Amino acid sequence: MLTITTKESSMLTADTWPIAAALLPLGDADPAVVPAARLAERWRSDLLEVADAGFEGVGLTDSWVRYGDLDARGLTALRDALTETGLRALSMSAIRRSVIDERDGDAHLAYAHRCIDAAAELGVEVVSFGLHRALTAEQAKQQWFWTVEGHRDDPDDGDAWQRAVRRFRELGTHAGEVGLVVSLEMYEHTYLGSAASSVRLVEEIGLDTVGLNPDIGNLVRLHEPVESWRMLLQATMPYANFWHVKNYARDEDAAAGWFSTTPSYLESGVIDFRSAVKIAIGAGFQGVICTEHYGGDGLSMSAANRDYLRRILPRRDYEVGHSRVHQTSPARVSS
């Protein structure tokens, strides 16, 4: 049984809730692709855009920089860029590096451990991992990659499931040792691709330093029948310790087998985020919220979504539910 750790005395409000901008819209600024002479200025320029969009916090997405591959000098330079631009790194997301990948799982696990150490160096308190794989060549050709099916985890492969349990438990133990928590990102067609499977995985891992990132936008955008967004959140939010938020307009004719989705503002998509926030708080969620968006001016969309969240998050005293996982670093929870 996972430990219940939420403290009502530390309840967040609309003004204090940590909201970060994901770096998905800013392209690839990794040392492997940016000349060394331009690297510091590129990082500063990108982070200034985030700050100028009104954010105080940033979600370090590793499509921007591969944090687990930075050396000590690189981490120092990144910390300096964050300080110079007045931003706090609130979260780190390592994406498309499944630790149960048949070919590269060992390398991805080692990278994940290095990300945890990098996060600790940068003062980040939550690191998000997932089981989703790199986009296929066919997915990469599409305007919206989710319209073409990618990898599927085999639900009948007990060895792969147990490998996921063991490896995420290993990462959660490491995170706890350095004062962080691990969050597992929900993603279609993986062992984190449904409410029941995601909850089962976290329960079997059995550490309160490992929770869920209920990024249900990854599920509702699929051109296929999907679980109700409300049921997804009701089942997973008691285990949530971090939250990627994004929304999609969705139209469907299930009888005819026709589905269509496109990215939208948080307030205008199929997920009712006003209700979603109430579900989250009722389940004890008090974690970082990271705004994501695909297509167009993703940073401006993230800023608009931040402002919407500030309008719907609670401004007055409220009753927070009891989470089954740590909402931040164990050190902070116990202070």
Side-chain angles (χ1 to χ4, degrees):
M1 178 63 67
L2 298 178
T3 303
I4 296 176
T5 57
T6 301
K7 290 179 62 180
E8 293 189 17
S9 61
S10 59
M11 289 186 302
L12 297 169
T13 67
D15 294 327
T16 63
W17 211 295
I19 300 177
L23 292 177
L24 288 169
L26 297 181
D28 193 339
D30 195 74
V33 298
V34 178
R38 297 183 51 240
L39 192 60
E41 181 52 36
R42 168 65 189 273
W43 288 355
R44 182 177 180 275
S45 176
D46 284 357
L47 293 174
L48 274 176
E49 283 197 56
V50 175
D52 288 346
F55 283 94
E56 297 177 355
V58 62
L60 298 177
T61 317
D62 76 346
S63 58
W64 187 65
V65 171
R66 264 66 79 199
Y67 308 102
D69 291 337
L70 292 178
D71 58 17
R73 180 178 296 181
L75 286 171
T76 297
L78 180 54
R79 189 187 305 111
D80 290 345
L82 289 163
T83 299
E84 291 171 9
T85 55
L87 290 172
R88 180 185 171 199
L90 296 176
S91 63
M92 181 181 292
S93 296
I95 61 177
R96 302 200 178 280
R97 294 174 184 260
S98 171
V99 296
I100 61 170
D101 183 277
E102 296 77 11
R103 185 186 68 181
D104 298 319
D106 290 349
H108 292 170
L109 178 62
Y111 173 81
H113 277 292
R114 297 196 302 272
C115 281
I116 289 172
D117 287 333
E121 286 289 325
L122 294 168
V124 176
E125 293 189 341
V126 56
V127 183
S128 178
F129 301 111
L131 291 172
H132 38 312
R133 312 289 181 99
L135 296 177
T136 67
E138 189 60 30
Q139 284 179 310
K141 292 178 185 177
Q142 310 304 314
Q143 178 178 6
W144 307 124
F145 62 82
W146 56 85
T147 62
V148 173
E149 185 172 318
H151 171 84
R152 284 179 178 260
D153 287 340
D154 183 355
D156 298 320
D157 189 339
D159 289 340
W161 174 272
Q162 288 303 321
R163 192 179 311 118
V165 171
R166 289 194 307 272
R167 292 189 164 187
F168 283 138
R169 185 184 293 140
E170 177 183 325
L171 292 172
T173 299
H174 180 186
E177 291 169 349
V178 295
L180 278 69
V181 296
V182 163
S183 196
L184 305 181
E185 180 180 354
M186 295 181 68
Y187 196 90
E188 68 260 25
H189 304 150
T190 72
Y191 295 142
L192 291 158
S194 71
S197 181
S198 299
V199 168
R200 178 189 163 204
L201 186 61
V202 171
E203 285 282 9
E204 289 196 20
I205 292 165
L207 296 176
D208 56 12
T209 53
V210 180
L212 290 175
N213 168 5
D215 189 351
I216 62 170
N218 290 336
L219 307 182
V220 304
R221 70 190 177 194
L222 296 179
H223 287 198
E224 61 186 61
V226 297
E227 293 181 83
S228 155
W229 67 263
R230 190 179 298 273
M231 296 297 290
L232 283 167
L233 290 181
Q234 288 172 338
T236 60
M237 269 299 171
Y239 301 85
N241 57 5
F242 176 55
W243 197 6
H244 283 166
V245 294
K246 52 183 178 282
N247 212 348
Y248 293 83
R250 179 178 176 92
D251 193 13
E252 63 178 70
D253 182 343
W258 179 86
F259 308 89
S260 178
T261 61
T262 190
S264 74
Y265 288 100
L266 281 191
E267 61 185 309
S268 59
V270 68
I271 304 167
D272 171 7
F273 270 93
R274 184 179 293 271
S275 295
V277 162
K278 294 176 183 177
I279 293 170
I281 290 172
F285 179 69
Q286 295 280 285
V288 173
I289 300 174
C290 185
T291 58
E292 293 187 324
H293 187 80
Y294 288 102
D297 183 351
L299 181 56
S300 290
M301 288 288 287
S302 291
N305 290 336
R306 174 205 62 220
D307 294 345
Y308 165 69
L309 288 169
R310 296 286 184 211
R311 295 198 303 272
I312 65 171
L313 287 165
R315 294 191 170 277
R316 301 169 186 85
D317 289 345
Y318 60 93
E319 183 176 350
V320 64
H322 297 284
S323 176
R324 295 179 178 271
V325 293
H326 281 301
Q327 292 301 297
T328 183
S329 70
R332 176 176 291 182
V333 169
S334 62
S335 62

